[in-house]
Amino acid sequence: MKRRLVRILFTLLAVYIILSIFIIKNSDKHIYVYHEPSNLSIRYGESQYSVIVQNIKVSLEKVTKEKFYITYSQVTGNQSYFGLTLIIENLEKKKINKAAFEYIYIEDTTTKQKYYPIPYFEIENFPQDQPLLYKAKFYAKFQPLPHDTHTINIYFKFAGNLFTLKNVDIR
């Protein structure tokens, strides 16, 4: 029984070696495609949260949660804030009118509480060093959101169009 098992193993090994040699010799005639599931299917550089109305696309670039407390000389206070950075893009590659901004507010999806920005927002060229003119970056600051807020809706009115980004995860 033991000898028979050894003979079978040697036969299988010989067949394997012969097939390997045959495949290596003929490998220049065949193209082998190796497919491994990877993250290459994810579209890098594009936001998960974006909306297109007419020819303008608004995408969420970044959510910022800054929490800090200042104590310096006579100045003391909580300087925490919640910030949003949006990318505005004209898909027809026409120049964006930065003065077309009308308003922005956010809404907690669970409590339906609305939050309006503090009087600070900024619309700047994108990128700053060599502006494309058909893209702009919008930045707004809000008061800190409650700790139990996990998702928000963003309402952004620009150039007469309302852009709504739904269920944005801010955790």
Side-chain angles (χ1 to χ4, degrees):
M1 180 75 175
K2 194 173 185 183
R3 287 183 185 181
R4 195 173 216 188
L5 184 61
V6 171
R7 285 183 196 164
I8 292 173
L9 287 176
F10 277 127
T11 307
L12 288 175
L13 182 63
V15 169
Y16 176 76
I17 291 172
I18 291 169
L19 286 175
S20 297
I21 292 170
F22 178 74
I23 290 172
I24 290 172
K25 283 186 176 181
N26 294 324
S27 65
D28 58 337
K29 297 177 186 173
H30 303 286
I31 298 173
Y32 295 97
V33 178
Y34 177 70
H35 176 70
E36 176 182 323
S38 67
N39 290 334
L40 294 178
S41 61
I42 296 173
R43 295 166 57 168
Y44 289 102
E46 291 189 25
S47 176
Q48 178 181 350
Y49 305 102
S50 64
V51 64
I52 299 172
V53 176
Q54 292 179 354
N55 62 344
I56 298 176
K57 178 180 179 181
V58 173
S59 306
L60 177 67
E61 180 188 35
K62 180 172 46 172
V63 171
T64 308
K65 293 182 190 178
E66 288 287 340
K67 297 180 181 175
F68 54 92
Y69 192 80
I70 291 179
T71 304
Y72 178 77
S73 185
Q74 300 295 321
V75 179
T76 303
N78 185 357
Q79 299 295 314
S80 301
Y81 68 91
F82 177 79
L84 290 176
T85 304
L86 303 174
I87 299 292
I88 307 163
E89 179 180 5
N90 188 321
L91 299 175
E92 295 175 351
K93 309 253 190 253
K94 294 180 181 175
K95 186 177 179 179
I96 288 181
N97 179 11
K98 294 180 191 175
F101 168 70
E102 295 179 38
Y103 64 81
I104 185 171
Y105 68 91
I106 58 178
E107 176 185 59
D108 185 349
T109 57
T110 54
T111 64
K112 302 299 181 194
Q113 175 70 34
K114 294 179 182 177
Y115 300 95
Y116 295 93
I118 57 179
Y120 173 84
F121 71 89
E122 189 175 359
I123 300 178
E124 58 185 33
N125 292 326
F126 182 83
Q128 286 185 333
D129 54 350
Q130 293 180 343
L132 296 173
L133 299 179
Y134 65 88
K135 267 189 174 182
K137 186 184 285 191
F138 176 86
Y139 183 71
K141 284 185 177 182
F142 297 82
Q143 292 294 329
L145 300 179
H147 294 290
D148 58 346
T149 303
H150 299 296
T151 57
I152 60 171
N153 295 330
I154 302 170
Y155 299 93
F156 180 71
K157 189 151 187 187
F158 185 82
N161 298 317
L162 180 63
F163 299 89
T164 306
L165 301 167
K166 295 274 188 183
N167 298 319
V168 176
D169 189 359
I170 60 168
R171 287 181 273 173

